[in-house]
Amino acid sequence: MISTAFEYSRASSVDDALAKLRAANGEGKLIAGGHSLVPLMKLRLSEPKTLIDIARIPGLSGVSKKGDTIEIGAGTVHHEVATSALLQQACPMVAEAAASIGDPQVRNRGTLGGSLAHADPSADYPAAMLALDADIHVKGPKGSRVVKAHVFFRGLFTVDLAADEIIVGVQFAPVKCGAYAKLYQRASHFAIVGVAAALDVNNGTIQSARIGVTGASSHATRLTDVEQALAGKPLSLSSIEGAARLAGAKLEDVNSDIHASEEYRRAMIPVFTERALRRAMERAT
């Protein structure tokens, strides 16, 4: 199908994008890579009157270190995240997640902010942001605000982002002892089950753990039962194996579709939780 007619406008800054959104009176959409929005428009599931291009806004992309944290601009494409030397060294989980997205065309056009805002239940970044306890920076007509990742993802394609707001970036403390592992659809590389694991290890003991899972349910979520089972345990295969067996047992809305049944996804959540934790443990040692 062909989309309905629309006006196109390119924003020169974040403030300009917000002004253009206001001028569109609720009938405008932001576009950067367009890999989520354009298919919806072609199917006429989304019919914006105005498209506001934010892909070339200066300062909206890039990976940088700020004090003890890492910042990634919302306009940063997946390829830049995947190949960032800073992330590969200091926080390899994020680079792994980005490298596993789609194909080269998608990775060179799709953006971090677009993926987070769309919040596809099978997207990779949400699990990583949950495992990192990331801050998501948002700007709107009322000013700037920061939303924690565990609050940001609310439900199926639903996030804590108003129609007149824009994601400007994410910020998080780097985690070297982390990893991302996923079972993916062969054609699209979307996650059937994807697990991001971050460990805080001191003197051979797991002080705390954060585990994010995507692809399994209506939205990315934390596996708190696994986190609690790991806290205070020695960093060992037996600790990881025992905790991983609990993964997904408390998830109520497990997906079932043409790619995998609910039963299969439930079986795979512990498998990929263990794989992510094993890789994180290797990085800790």
Side-chain angles (χ1 to χ4, degrees), residues 37-239:
L37 179 58
V38 171
L40 293 176
M41 291 174 62
K42 292 177 73 173
L43 293 170
R44 301 201 176 186
L45 296 174
S46 180
E47 298 182 350
K49 297 293 180 63
T50 302
L51 283 187
I52 302 157
D53 190 342
I54 60 172
R56 294 173 178 83
I57 291 179
L60 198 61
S61 64
V63 182
S64 61
K65 195 162 188 279
K66 185 176 182 180
D68 295 330
T69 64
I70 291 176
E71 292 184 350
I72 308 177
T76 310
V77 298
H78 310 319
H79 174 73
E80 186 175 352
V81 176
T83 57
S84 164
L86 173 60
L87 289 172
Q88 289 175 348
Q89 177 63 32
C91 198
M93 174 213 305
V94 181
E96 282 178 340
S100 74
I101 295 172
D103 52 34
Q105 292 90 334
V106 171
R107 290 193 294 274
N108 279 280
R109 290 293 299 170
T111 64
L112 169 68
S115 177
L116 296 179
H118 186 59
D120 189 289
S122 296
D124 300 287
Y125 283 132
M129 294 300 108
L130 287 171
L132 291 168
D133 194 30
D135 292 331
I136 298 172
H137 292 255
V138 172
K139 190 172 185 180
K142 296 180 181 179
S144 300
R145 63 189 182 98
V146 177
V147 187
K148 280 292 185 183
H150 69 270
V151 177
F152 187 76
F153 302 105
R154 291 181 167 182
L156 182 65
F157 297 109
T158 304
V159 295
D160 184 4
L161 184 71
D164 58 355
E165 291 182 317
I166 180 174
I167 299 174
V168 296
V170 299
Q171 187 174 6
F172 51 84
V175 177
K176 185 66 179 287
C177 306
Y180 182 66
K182 77 170 177 177
L183 172 66
Y184 58 85
Q185 301 172 21
R186 294 292 182 179
S188 68
H189 270 234
F190 270 121
I192 294 174
V193 169
V195 178
L199 300 176
D200 177 15
V201 180
N202 186 26
N203 293 325
T205 300
I206 302 171
Q207 302 299 312
S208 63
R210 291 188 300 272
I211 317 291
V213 62
T214 188
S217 60
S218 61
H219 63 290
T221 188
R222 292 262 293 268
L223 296 178
T224 54
D225 47 353
V226 180
E227 297 172 354
Q228 293 164 4
L230 287 168
K233 296 293 195 305
L235 182 64
S236 65
L237 280 178
S238 60
S239 297

Side-chain angles (χ1 to χ4, degrees), residues 225-271:
D225 47 353
V226 180
E227 297 172 354
Q228 293 164 4
L230 287 168
K233 296 293 195 305
L235 182 64
S236 65
L237 280 178
S238 60
S239 297
I240 284 171
E241 291 169 354
R245 281 194 289 269
L246 304 173
K250 294 183 179 180
L251 283 180
E252 296 180 353
D253 59 340
V254 177
N255 295 332
S256 181
D257 52 34
I258 61 172
H259 304 292
S261 65
E262 175 184 343
E263 181 182 16
Y264 185 67
R265 278 189 168 89
R266 284 193 182 278
M268 289 299 102
I269 295 171
V271 172

